[in-house]
mmCIF file of all heavy atoms in Angstrom:
data_model
loop_
_atom_site.group_PDB
_atom_site.id
_atom_site.type_symbol
_atom_site.label_atom_id
_atom_site.label_comp_id
_atom_site.label_asym_id
_atom_site.label_seq_id
_atom_site.Cartn_x
_atom_site.Cartn_y
_atom_site.Cartn_z
ATOM 1 N N LYS A 1594 0.786 2.971 -8.828
ATOM 2 C CA LYS A 1594 0.706 3.181 -10.279
ATOM 3 C C LYS A 1594 1.769 2.361 -11.005
ATOM 4 O O LYS A 1594 1.498 1.760 -12.053
ATOM 5 C CB LYS A 1594 0.874 4.668 -10.608
ATOM 6 C CG LYS A 1594 0.655 4.988 -12.081
ATOM 7 C CD LYS A 1594 0.652 6.484 -12.331
ATOM 8 C CE LYS A 1594 0.341 6.775 -13.791
ATOM 9 N NZ LYS A 1594 0.294 8.229 -14.067
ATOM 10 N N GLN A 1595 2.984 2.329 -10.442
ATOM 11 C CA GLN A 1595 4.093 1.647 -11.114
ATOM 12 C C GLN A 1595 3.896 0.141 -11.191
ATOM 13 O O GLN A 1595 4.131 -0.461 -12.233
ATOM 14 C CB GLN A 1595 5.413 1.963 -10.404
ATOM 15 C CG GLN A 1595 5.963 3.331 -10.760
ATOM 16 C CD GLN A 1595 7.320 3.603 -10.114
ATOM 17 O OE1 GLN A 1595 7.678 3.010 -9.104
ATOM 18 N NE2 GLN A 1595 8.068 4.524 -10.691
ATOM 19 N N HIS A 1596 3.470 -0.474 -10.076
ATOM 20 C CA HIS A 1596 3.351 -1.943 -10.157
ATOM 21 C C HIS A 1596 1.944 -2.417 -10.539
ATOM 22 O O HIS A 1596 1.759 -3.581 -10.870
ATOM 23 C CB HIS A 1596 3.874 -2.642 -8.900
ATOM 24 C CG HIS A 1596 3.136 -2.379 -7.622
ATOM 25 N ND1 HIS A 1596 1.766 -2.236 -7.532
ATOM 26 C CD2 HIS A 1596 3.596 -2.282 -6.345
ATOM 27 C CE1 HIS A 1596 1.408 -2.070 -6.276
ATOM 28 N NE2 HIS A 1596 2.500 -2.069 -5.534
ATOM 29 N N GLY A 1597 0.970 -1.515 -10.499
ATOM 30 C CA GLY A 1597 -0.364 -1.856 -10.982
ATOM 31 C C GLY A 1597 -1.072 -2.948 -10.203
ATOM 32 O O GLY A 1597 -1.989 -3.595 -10.724
ATOM 33 N N GLN A 1598 -0.648 -3.158 -8.961
ATOM 34 C CA GLN A 1598 -1.242 -4.224 -8.159
ATOM 35 C C GLN A 1598 -2.160 -3.646 -7.085
ATOM 36 O O GLN A 1598 -2.151 -2.449 -6.818
ATOM 37 C CB GLN A 1598 -0.131 -5.078 -7.533
ATOM 38 C CG GLN A 1598 0.718 -5.790 -8.589
ATOM 39 C CD GLN A 1598 1.989 -6.420 -8.014
ATOM 40 O OE1 GLN A 1598 2.432 -6.081 -6.924
ATOM 41 N NE2 GLN A 1598 2.587 -7.328 -8.764
ATOM 42 N N ASP A 1599 -2.921 -4.524 -6.478
ATOM 43 C CA ASP A 1599 -3.908 -4.071 -5.499
ATOM 44 C C ASP A 1599 -3.292 -3.657 -4.167
ATOM 45 O O ASP A 1599 -3.857 -2.839 -3.448
ATOM 46 C CB ASP A 1599 -4.943 -5.173 -5.235
ATOM 47 C CG ASP A 1599 -5.919 -5.329 -6.393
ATOM 48 O OD1 ASP A 1599 -5.936 -4.454 -7.286
ATOM 49 O OD2 ASP A 1599 -6.674 -6.325 -6.403
ATOM 50 N N PHE A 1600 -2.136 -4.265 -3.837
ATOM 51 C CA PHE A 1600 -1.529 -4.058 -2.525
ATOM 52 C C PHE A 1600 -0.132 -3.452 -2.676
ATOM 53 O O PHE A 1600 0.481 -3.528 -3.735
ATOM 54 C CB PHE A 1600 -1.467 -5.377 -1.755
ATOM 55 C CG PHE A 1600 -2.798 -6.069 -1.649
ATOM 56 C CD1 PHE A 1600 -3.081 -7.195 -2.405
ATOM 57 C CD2 PHE A 1600 -3.787 -5.571 -0.809
ATOM 58 C CE1 PHE A 1600 -4.319 -7.828 -2.319
ATOM 59 C CE2 PHE A 1600 -5.024 -6.194 -0.705
ATOM 60 C CZ PHE A 1600 -5.296 -7.322 -1.470
ATOM 61 N N LEU A 1601 0.380 -2.898 -1.597
ATOM 62 C CA LEU A 1601 1.649 -2.166 -1.670
ATOM 63 C C LEU A 1601 2.853 -3.067 -1.906
ATOM 64 O O LEU A 1601 3.760 -2.722 -2.663
ATOM 65 C CB LEU A 1601 1.860 -1.355 -0.372
ATOM 66 C CG LEU A 1601 0.980 -0.120 -0.201
ATOM 67 C CD1 LEU A 1601 1.136 0.449 1.203
ATOM 68 C CD2 LEU A 1601 1.321 0.943 -1.247
ATOM 69 N N VAL A 1602 2.877 -4.237 -1.248
ATOM 70 C CA VAL A 1602 4.077 -5.081 -1.287
ATOM 71 C C VAL A 1602 3.727 -6.519 -1.675
ATOM 72 O O VAL A 1602 2.867 -7.141 -1.044
ATOM 73 C CB VAL A 1602 4.783 -5.101 0.095
ATOM 74 C CG1 VAL A 1602 6.016 -5.998 0.061
ATOM 75 C CG2 VAL A 1602 5.183 -3.693 0.519
ATOM 76 N N GLY A 1603 4.402 -7.034 -2.724
ATOM 77 C CA GLY A 1603 4.279 -8.443 -3.080
ATOM 78 C C GLY A 1603 2.898 -8.864 -3.540
ATOM 79 O O GLY A 1603 2.563 -10.050 -3.534
ATOM 80 N N ASN A 1604 2.074 -7.884 -3.948
ATOM 81 C CA ASN A 1604 0.699 -8.154 -4.367
ATOM 82 C C ASN A 1604 -0.058 -9.007 -3.357
ATOM 83 O O ASN A 1604 -0.848 -9.885 -3.713
ATOM 84 C CB ASN A 1604 0.642 -8.812 -5.753
ATOM 85 C CG ASN A 1604 -0.714 -8.566 -6.428
ATOM 86 O OD1 ASN A 1604 -1.418 -7.615 -6.089
ATOM 87 N ND2 ASN A 1604 -1.070 -9.430 -7.359
ATOM 88 N N LYS A 1605 0.220 -8.742 -2.073
ATOM 89 C CA LYS A 1605 -0.450 -9.479 -1.002
ATOM 90 C C LYS A 1605 -0.766 -8.504 0.137
ATOM 91 O O LYS A 1605 0.034 -7.627 0.456
ATOM 92 C CB LYS A 1605 0.475 -10.597 -0.497
ATOM 93 C CG LYS A 1605 -0.169 -11.505 0.543
ATOM 94 C CD LYS A 1605 0.718 -12.725 0.791
ATOM 95 C CE LYS A 1605 0.062 -13.652 1.814
ATOM 96 N NZ LYS A 1605 0.574 -13.550 3.136
ATOM 97 N N PHE A 1606 -1.931 -8.664 0.712
ATOM 98 C CA PHE A 1606 -2.372 -7.820 1.820
ATOM 99 C C PHE A 1606 -1.370 -7.878 2.961
ATOM 100 O O PHE A 1606 -0.970 -8.958 3.397
ATOM 101 C CB PHE A 1606 -3.738 -8.319 2.293
ATOM 102 C CG PHE A 1606 -4.388 -7.476 3.347
ATOM 103 C CD1 PHE A 1606 -4.499 -6.099 3.209
ATOM 104 C CD2 PHE A 1606 -4.925 -8.076 4.488
ATOM 105 C CE1 PHE A 1606 -5.121 -5.330 4.184
ATOM 106 C CE2 PHE A 1606 -5.550 -7.318 5.467
ATOM 107 C CZ PHE A 1606 -5.650 -5.942 5.313
ATOM 108 N N SER A 1607 -0.944 -6.697 3.449
ATOM 109 C CA SER A 1607 0.078 -6.662 4.500
ATOM 110 C C SER A 1607 -0.197 -5.532 5.492
ATOM 111 O O SER A 1607 -1.098 -4.699 5.302
ATOM 112 C CB SER A 1607 1.478 -6.480 3.896
ATOM 113 O OG SER A 1607 1.691 -5.118 3.516
ATOM 114 N N TRP A 1608 0.617 -5.524 6.519
ATOM 115 C CA TRP A 1608 0.599 -4.479 7.543
ATOM 116 C C TRP A 1608 0.660 -3.087 6.908
ATOM 117 O O TRP A 1608 -0.031 -2.163 7.350
ATOM 118 C CB TRP A 1608 1.787 -4.735 8.467
ATOM 119 C CG TRP A 1608 2.080 -3.727 9.525
ATOM 120 C CD1 TRP A 1608 1.269 -2.760 10.019
ATOM 121 C CD2 TRP A 1608 3.313 -3.613 10.259
ATOM 122 N NE1 TRP A 1608 1.919 -2.041 11.013
ATOM 123 C CE2 TRP A 1608 3.158 -2.543 11.173
ATOM 124 C CE3 TRP A 1608 4.512 -4.317 10.231
ATOM 125 C CZ2 TRP A 1608 4.185 -2.158 12.040
ATOM 126 C CZ3 TRP A 1608 5.520 -3.934 11.102
ATOM 127 C CH2 TRP A 1608 5.358 -2.870 11.999
ATOM 128 N N ALA A 1609 1.457 -2.919 5.847
ATOM 129 C CA ALA A 1609 1.597 -1.607 5.204
ATOM 130 C C ALA A 1609 0.265 -1.116 4.656
ATOM 131 O O ALA A 1609 -0.063 0.075 4.756
ATOM 132 C CB ALA A 1609 2.640 -1.685 4.085
ATOM 133 N N ASP A 1610 -0.521 -2.016 4.074
ATOM 134 C CA ASP A 1610 -1.830 -1.635 3.540
ATOM 135 C C ASP A 1610 -2.766 -1.169 4.659
ATOM 136 O O ASP A 1610 -3.508 -0.198 4.503
ATOM 137 C CB ASP A 1610 -2.471 -2.822 2.804
ATOM 138 C CG ASP A 1610 -1.636 -3.312 1.644
ATOM 139 O OD1 ASP A 1610 -1.352 -2.504 0.741
ATOM 140 O OD2 ASP A 1610 -1.257 -4.501 1.641
ATOM 141 N N VAL A 1611 -2.712 -1.869 5.782
ATOM 142 C CA VAL A 1611 -3.569 -1.523 6.920
ATOM 143 C C VAL A 1611 -3.210 -0.138 7.451
ATOM 144 O O VAL A 1611 -4.082 0.707 7.690
ATOM 145 C CB VAL A 1611 -3.451 -2.580 8.047
ATOM 146 C CG1 VAL A 1611 -4.370 -2.210 9.213
ATOM 147 C CG2 VAL A 1611 -3.785 -3.970 7.519
ATOM 148 N N GLN A 1612 -1.901 0.109 7.602
ATOM 149 C CA GLN A 1612 -1.458 1.418 8.111
ATOM 150 C C GLN A 1612 -1.860 2.540 7.152
ATOM 151 O O GLN A 1612 -2.238 3.628 7.574
ATOM 152 C CB GLN A 1612 0.058 1.420 8.287
ATOM 153 C CG GLN A 1612 0.568 0.536 9.388
ATOM 154 C CD GLN A 1612 0.672 1.242 10.725
ATOM 155 O OE1 GLN A 1612 -0.114 0.995 11.617
ATOM 156 N NE2 GLN A 1612 1.638 2.111 10.869
ATOM 157 N N LEU A 1613 -1.780 2.255 5.843
ATOM 158 C CA LEU A 1613 -2.081 3.304 4.872
ATOM 159 C C LEU A 1613 -3.565 3.638 4.858
ATOM 160 O O LEU A 1613 -3.923 4.826 4.821
ATOM 161 C CB LEU A 1613 -1.606 2.900 3.475
ATOM 162 C CG LEU A 1613 -1.837 3.944 2.363
ATOM 163 C CD1 LEU A 1613 -1.222 5.295 2.729
ATOM 164 C CD2 LEU A 1613 -1.279 3.443 1.025
ATOM 165 N N ILE A 1614 -4.437 2.644 4.898
ATOM 166 C CA ILE A 1614 -5.866 2.964 4.886
ATOM 167 C C ILE A 1614 -6.253 3.696 6.171
ATOM 168 O O ILE A 1614 -7.055 4.636 6.156
ATOM 169 C CB ILE A 1614 -6.751 1.715 4.639
ATOM 170 C CG1 ILE A 1614 -8.238 2.092 4.567
ATOM 171 C CG2 ILE A 1614 -6.542 0.640 5.688
ATOM 172 C CD1 ILE A 1614 -8.619 3.017 3.452
#
Side-chain angles (χ1 to χ4, degrees):
K1594 186 173 184 178
Q1595 281 183 337
H1596 65 37
Q1598 297 169 342
D1599 286 348
F1600 306 106
L1601 287 171
V1602 179
N1604 204 22
K1605 185 170 181 259
F1606 185 49
S1607 77
W1608 174 18
D1610 300 302
V1611 181
Q1612 291 270 107
L1613 181 55
I1614 183 62

